[in-house]
Amino acid sequence: MTSPTHDAARPSFNNADQPDSQHQLLQHDSTLTVAQSVSLTLSSDSLLVADERSSTRTSSRACCGLLPKSSTKDTHAISFYNILDADLSPAGLTITYAEHSTKDDVSVTALQYPIADEEKANVEAWITRLLDLAYGNAQRYKRLKVLVNPFGGKGGAVKLYQNYAASIFAAARCKVDVQETTHSGHATEITEKIDIDAYDAIVCCSGDGLPYEVFNGLAKKPNAGEALSKVAVALIPCGSGNAMTWNLSGTGSVSVAALAIVKGLRTPMDLASITQGQTRTLSFLSQSFGIIAECDLGTDNIRWMGAHRFTYGFLVRIVKSAVWPCDLAVKVEIDDKKAIKDHYTAYANSVPPLRSPQETAGRSGGLPELKYGTVQDDLPKDWEVIPSETLGNFYAGNMAIMSKDTNFFPASLPNDGLMDVVTIDGTLGVSKSLKMMTAIPEGNFFDMPEVNVRKATAYRLVPREKEGYISVDGERIPFEAFQVEIHKGLGTVLSKSGHLYEAEGPKP
């Protein structure tokens, strides 16, 4: 904490006018001067701190005990995004913010200046403007239900939260209720009983498994529509994949993700219904069958490898050139890659669909009705039947990034009412399969001719084999027929942009 010891001087509150400054100020900008010669200026995107207090510099050439006195100026900018809080107390003005402590982490620090009593009204007004700029459309002082899975990933979620996230939430004056989960499905049990009027968001300290449970807990409520719209779901990355954090916050850092939750914008997001047998569950991330499901669920025994276990699993299985035959039918909406790119561009240029708490009014019903029925109903006649006798990979995504550096669905959008369905033949050979693997981080995967991409609203998949893996949001479901249907904007998340995922879209 920086805490100047100079006596309080009268702060000035005025419109800054510095036409020659490298920080050209806008008309609405204003400067507050404190501690005699420290100026705090609200610029277009940052708080500019200029400290011009005099100091003495020793010189090896000084003689007779006379030291040259010079004025030094320390100027730095603090992004509004990083500012957590500002407050006026008997101790003075305190500005709390997140500062990069390492390349990948931030930590809480603060500036503090004494304020004269007669200037407190001016300072209060300046604080109001600062916080308006710092938070914009983001909700301040969020009420957070924090669920920590002590068994997820490498088992360090409790320490990760305590060491890197808790201080960020506290500095931003979030109201936090922390609870550890004790068994699989516990988050669903907690969320099903939660008072949706008591919390603004449920924060999962885990991998992607806990958000899956939370969405399904909210879905079990009699007023599921209202619950899913009213309570946002967020993730602190403590697991293997952490896809939700990469998509919504663009980071794998616990502290940076915590900051992104503090500043997160309430964003509507599509969710998908999965019907299998007599059950109906929700999916927020992806469904996979074939090699991806095998790499995900068939490598649980090497979770200690972290995200590298997926790569290892892929390499082992690609050498076998295995295929996973099935019957596949899709309700296709867009099947041309150029048209898919045009759809992405149009959405990206549209007005962000921010969700206000008031929007939840009237959403007291349960889950939306299934437009296409369940997997046990007759197959709709207008669905496209896709030959899949030699299927190598089926992957349906609702988010772009599946794990770090794996932007598998670059055209995926949060709230367009469509899912991206990718199918790849299993007889391509090892060299082409390996080329696909390297093409994903390079951004060339989408345009490869062997990669079939469709925008869809529903599909049905029926495995032909007796044993294997089907993955929904990284969780294993029975190896039997299932059907998926998308619901536009059913869920709510906290995102950095309020509009797009933190991923590169498809190349033009």
Side-chain angles (χ1 to χ4, degrees):
M1 177 179 288
T2 302
S3 188
T5 57
H6 288 68
D7 293 336
R10 285 196 172 192
S12 63
F13 185 64
N14 50 63
N15 289 328
D17 183 16
Q18 302 174 4
D20 296 328
S21 171
Q22 61 177 332
H23 300 289
Q24 194 70 29
L25 303 181
L26 302 179
Q27 187 175 1
H28 70 270
D29 295 336
S30 50
T31 296
L32 182 70
T33 301
V34 296
Q36 296 181 338
S37 54
V38 179
S39 63
L40 307 173
T41 301
L42 305 178
S43 75
S44 58
D45 60 0
S46 305
L47 170 63
L48 305 179
V49 181
D51 190 343
E52 299 185 38
R53 289 170 295 183
S54 61
S55 64
T56 56
R57 248 186 239 150
T58 58
S59 171
S60 59
R61 296 182 181 179
C63 64
C64 305
L66 299 176
L67 299 176
K69 195 172 186 179
S70 62
S71 177
T72 62
K73 183 176 181 179
D74 177 24
T75 304
H76 65 282
I78 304 170
S79 169
F80 288 140
Y81 181 83
N82 285 52
I83 290 176
L84 301 170
D85 194 28
D87 181 57
L88 185 59
S89 68
L93 168 64
T94 302
I95 301 169
T96 311
Y97 62 101
E99 181 179 48
H100 272 279
S101 51
T102 67
K103 179 184 176 182
D104 299 317
D105 287 301
V106 293
S107 59
V108 176
T109 188
L111 302 171
Q112 191 174 80
Y113 305 99
I115 301 296
D117 289 342
E118 61 268 27
E119 294 300 331
K120 288 185 176 179
N122 280 345
V123 175
E124 288 280 13
W126 185 88
I127 288 173
T128 298
R129 296 181 69 180
L130 170 63
L131 292 178
D132 285 346
L133 292 167
Y135 279 85
N137 291 324
Q139 180 184 0
R140 304 179 202 173
Y141 316 130
K142 294 181 177 75
R143 301 167 300 163
L144 306 176
K145 177 69 174 181
V146 177
L147 300 178
V148 184
N149 176 12
F151 311 105
K154 297 181 180 180
V158 174
K159 286 186 177 180
L160 287 172
Y161 172 75
Q162 293 174 345
N163 294 343
Y164 297 99
S167 59
I168 301 287
F169 292 155
R173 287 200 277 171
C174 294
K175 184 178 179 182
V176 179
D177 175 16
V178 182
Q179 183 174 354
E180 290 186 23
T181 58
T182 60
H183 55 273
S184 177
H186 193 194
T188 298
E189 297 167 9
I190 294 169
T191 309
E192 183 180 2
K193 300 174 183 177
I194 205 168
D195 179 2
I196 64 172
D197 294 320
Y199 301 100
D200 301 305
I202 299 174
V203 178
C204 304
C205 298
S206 63
D208 295 305
L210 233 57
Y212 170 79
E213 291 189 17
V214 167
F215 278 121
N216 280 285
L218 294 173
K220 288 178 176 291
K221 286 182 167 293
N223 59 339
E226 179 185 11
L228 288 162
S229 177
K230 196 168 192 176
V231 183
V233 180
L235 179 66
I236 295 288
C238 300
S240 300
N242 307 312
M244 176 177 266
T245 305
W246 284 108
N247 282 282
L248 301 179
S249 307
T251 184
S253 162
V254 170
S255 58
V256 176
L259 174 61
I261 289 170
V262 167
K263 293 302 181 78
L265 301 170
R266 289 173 51 84
T267 308
M269 190 180 82
D270 301 339
L271 298 176
S273 281
I274 315 287
T275 62
Q276 190 175 50
Q278 300 294 326
T279 67
R280 177 185 181 181
T281 56
L282 291 183
S283 167
F284 76 93
L285 177 61
S286 65
Q287 308 92 47
S288 61
F289 170 84
I291 192 168
I292 295 294
E294 295 276 335
C295 294
D296 186 3
L297 300 173
T299 58
D300 264 356
N301 59 317
I302 52 172
R303 276 188 174 271
W304 55 269
M305 293 181 67
H308 296 296
R309 70 185 175 94
F310 301 110
T311 303
Y312 174 80
F314 181 85
L315 293 173
V316 168
R317 285 160 178 78
I318 206 66
V319 171
K320 298 178 181 179
S321 298
V323 296
W324 289 268
C326 67
D327 296 318
L328 177 63
V330 181
K331 174 58 175 172
V332 179
E333 304 297 339
I334 311 174
D335 62 359
D336 175 75
K337 288 185 178 180
K338 183 182 183 304
I340 291 175
K341 292 179 181 181
D342 291 343
H343 171 79
Y344 180 92
T345 301
Y347 183 99
N349 293 328
S350 66
V351 177
L354 295 181
R355 170 165 284 166
S356 67
Q358 292 76 22
E359 187 188 334
T360 62
R363 295 197 177 204
S364 57
L367 292 176
E369 292 186 9
L370 293 170
K371 182 177 179 180
Y372 302 107
T374 75
V375 70
Q376 296 180 327
D377 294 320
D378 291 338
L379 186 71
K381 294 182 180 179
D382 60 342
W383 288 21
E384 179 182 344
V385 176
I386 298 172
S388 302
E389 291 80 8
T390 59
L391 182 72
N393 185 31
F394 172 90
Y395 212 175
N398 193 41
M399 285 184 159
I401 303 170
M402 295 296 107
S403 62
K404 183 181 180 182
D405 299 325
T406 311
N407 185 8
F408 204 97
F409 302 100
S412 182
L413 294 162
N415 187 47
D416 66 342
L418 299 170
M419 61 184 124
D420 290 29
V421 174
V422 171
T423 55
I424 301 172
D425 190 86
T427 61
L428 295 177
V430 175
S431 60
K432 283 189 178 180
S433 298
L434 290 175
K435 185 179 179 181
M436 283 187 182
M437 186 178 180
T438 58
I440 295 173
E442 295 171 356
N444 300 320
F445 178 77
F446 181 92
D447 290 308
M448 294 183 73
E450 297 87 359
V451 177
N452 301 295
V453 185
R454 302 170 178 87
K455 287 276 186 181
T457 49
Y459 70 85
R460 179 181 296 180
L461 189 151
V462 183
R464 293 187 184 176
E465 303 290 340
K466 293 183 178 180
E467 295 181 352
Y469 294 99
I470 298 172
S471 174
V472 174
D473 298 356
E475 302 296 312
R476 186 176 185 178
I477 66 171
F479 194 72
E480 59 187 54
F482 67 103
Q483 182 164 307
V484 180
E485 175 180 326
I486 199 82
H487 306 292
K488 186 176 185 297
L490 178 61
T492 305
V493 292
L494 295 175
S495 73
K496 190 173 181 179
S497 76
H499 192 31
L500 300 171
Y501 292 129
E502 300 296 309
E504 291 292 332
K507 292 183 178 181

